[in-house]
Amino acid sequence: MSQRAAENMASPCSSEQLLERSVRDRVPPLLTDLYQFTMAYAYWRADRHRERAVFELFFRDEPFGGFSLFTGLSDCLLFLRSFRFSDQDVDFLRSVMPSTTDPAFFQYLRGLDCSDVTLRSVPEGTVVFARVPLMEVSGPLAVVQLLETSLLCLVNYATLVCSNAARFRLAAGPRRRLIEMGLRRAQGPDGGLTASRYAYIGGFDVTSNVQAGFLFGIPVAGTMAHSYITSFSSLEEVWPQTLVAANMDSDPVDFVSLTRTWLTRVCELLTAEPGKICEGELAAFLSYAVAYPNNFLPVIDSYSVSCSGVVNFCSVALALCELGYKPLGVRLDSGDLCRQSVEVRHVFRLCAEHFSVSVFRSLMIVATSNISERSMTELSSTENEIDAVGVGTHLVTCTGQPSLGCVYKLVEVNGNPRMKISEDSNKTTVPGSKAVYRLSDAEGLPYLDLVCLAAERPPEAGCLLICHTLGSEDSCLSVTPAQVTCLRQDAFTKGEVTHPLCSAAEAKAKVETSVQSLHPRHKRLQDPDSYTVALSEKLHDLTYEIQRGNGNSSNSVFAN
């Protein structure tokens, strides 16, 4: 037994403890930008570090042109709960910050935690849209400033890959199984773990990532690669060559001879040419079947699918069936996947009928081969017999849009609204602490997200309200919602997580419900309708007033 295994047995951890340890190891407080510390020092030096500040986290532009799924909240909460600097952290900061930094500042850092921080958030797994404040973080100015980079790091990629996974799910349809297998192509170990977790939450069924299964409870799957097939060259390499029947009541059977008998019968049925059958491939299938008689699912395109792969598979699978085992199916990894799947299914049906083996009617066909959202969409519109699809590169690297672009902006200090005013209107922020409401029609379909000042009276179902489309100064809307849902929840208060943490399975269920509630026109993969985000009249007027004054205060430095 390894030392690590012994340690795990000696001190078993709950899933939440494993997750918190993972977050603490991956996102220590030094995983941030240096300018966060230089700003914190300047606040401290000016004796402003204790002022109450409010920051908002949001993204400016919709990734992939449609909707997004907010995720990463549980990681953020665990990060806040464990946020504190060690002596070693502080010693390093002392070595990299300017030598003129007051030593007392480092003592201040050593005592910092998030006991005076509050986080209000959209629930994990909720469909969200550009410019809607997803998280509001309030607390001492220096502390909440120090949290910026880490919170963005935890939300940006998680939300992006979860949204990407949901698009793959929409392209694949509800019944086809999706396998995430992008670890080897991900941006480093942490990127691979994050991708596995949030691809599952976004709609995938299983992962190939064993560590993700261990940490997050995600179902894990995997069989073999081409290297296993090509490592064999002859039947003499198969060992052991016998297999005991599933009922265990008989002596070991010469499995190689049994398979050879079935190979002859399959060749006759399919009029296959024995000379084109690869013996090494058959040996690999036999060896794997002996090791995993109830989990037999080989890749069958190492040589030729029609001339060798499917013939060898059927021969071994029929031998397994004769001994009482149930093979699972095959994997296709190259060529015209749709056409090949139809041909392979035809062979399975022939065998099922000719040899009276019912298991062959339910064999699975798995397809892998650099699958993208586009190829998934094409697959779904083309005749095929594919039951499951494995996706790697295009899922975990989010090739359609590699970055979400979440930002973290100051909106209030000591109760006074703050606003960034830019020549680039897309970078202008909306001031003040806010509340967010989702307005839905009589069928429960959301059509507008309303951003209000936190102190405003909430909108009511059945009552007319006037609002202004965000980003369009002259666009005034009159709406009467049938349903109103508050999108904000208190998630972290006084150093404690105040909202139940979501497991991967719970977040996945939330995502499914949230996506289902969205109108089809908003979740089209191509040319979706834009979703409306609007400001209340009071918030719109405040924003206009501050812009007109070109600052965050009516007081001018030139005033008398």
Side-chain angles (χ1 to χ4, degrees), residues 277-549:
I277 294 171
C278 178
E279 183 177 331
E281 182 181 58
L282 179 59
F285 288 2
L286 279 163
S287 181
Y288 200 84
V290 168
Y292 299 103
N294 275 320
N295 296 87
F296 183 53
L297 195 155
V299 57
I300 62 170
D301 67 324
S302 298
Y303 302 104
S304 168
V305 173
S306 59
C307 294
S308 182
V310 71
V311 178
N312 281 332
F313 169 79
C314 289
S315 303
V316 176
L318 287 163
L320 286 172
C321 291
E322 183 175 333
L323 296 180
Y325 297 102
K326 293 183 178 181
L328 297 182
V330 299
R331 177 163 73 97
L332 299 168
D333 189 50
S334 61
D336 187 334
L337 301 176
C338 292
R339 176 185 58 78
Q340 289 182 133
S341 71
V342 171
E343 293 173 356
V344 168
R345 184 70 71 193
H346 174 67
V347 171
F348 290 169
R349 287 170 179 155
L350 281 177
C351 289
E353 182 178 350
H354 187 79
F355 300 120
S356 300
V357 182
S358 60
V359 171
F360 267 62
R361 300 186 189 280
S362 58
L363 289 173
M364 180 183 298
I365 298 176
V366 180
T368 59
S369 184
N370 200 33
I371 303 292
S372 65
E373 181 186 305
R374 179 178 178 180
S375 59
M376 182 75 80
T377 303
E378 291 173 350
L379 184 152
S380 295
S381 61
T382 305
E383 181 188 5
N384 70 84
E385 291 286 343
I386 296 170
D387 301 295
V389 179
V391 188
T393 303
H394 293 288
L395 172 64
V396 303
T397 62
C398 299
T399 49
Q401 182 172 326
S403 175
L404 178 59
C406 277
V407 293
Y408 183 87
K409 297 299 180 183
L410 180 70
V411 295
E412 187 176 283
V413 177
N414 290 334
N416 298 311
R418 291 291 184 263
M419 178 179 181
K420 176 183 176 183
I421 300 174
S422 173
E423 292 183 2
D424 183 349
S425 60
N426 197 41
K427 288 195 172 184
T428 296
T429 60
V430 180
S433 178
K434 304 176 187 69
V436 183
Y437 301 94
R438 178 154 292 171
L439 311 186
S440 303
D441 60 22
E443 297 178 355
L445 298 173
Y447 63 87
L448 183 147
D449 283 0
L450 181 68
V451 184
C452 309
L453 289 168
E456 284 190 66
R457 182 177 177 178
E460 297 180 12
C463 295
L464 177 70
L465 62 89
I466 308 298
C467 55
H468 300 262
T469 304
L470 181 58
S472 179
E473 296 296 331
D474 301 325
S475 179
C476 184
L477 302 174
S478 299
V479 297
T480 303
Q483 301 176 35
V484 176
T485 304
C486 179
L487 286 185
R488 282 281 179 82
Q489 62 185 15
D490 293 331
F492 188 89
T493 308
K494 295 181 180 179
E496 296 295 331
V497 176
T498 53
H499 191 272
L501 295 171
C502 280
S503 67
E506 290 167 338
K508 180 182 180 69
K510 172 66 177 178
V511 161
E512 185 176 353
T513 300
S514 191
V515 173
Q516 285 178 349
S517 71
L518 198 59
H519 196 287
R521 67 173 182 266
H522 295 308
K523 55 184 177 183
R524 286 197 301 260
L525 297 180
Q526 298 297 323
D527 301 318
D529 285 0
S530 297
Y531 186 87
T532 303
V533 177
L535 305 182
S536 68
E537 280 197 290
K538 288 186 178 180
L539 182 53
H540 175 266
D541 292 346
L542 174 64
T543 303
Y544 178 72
E545 179 183 339
I546 293 177
Q547 283 182 308
R548 186 178 58 182

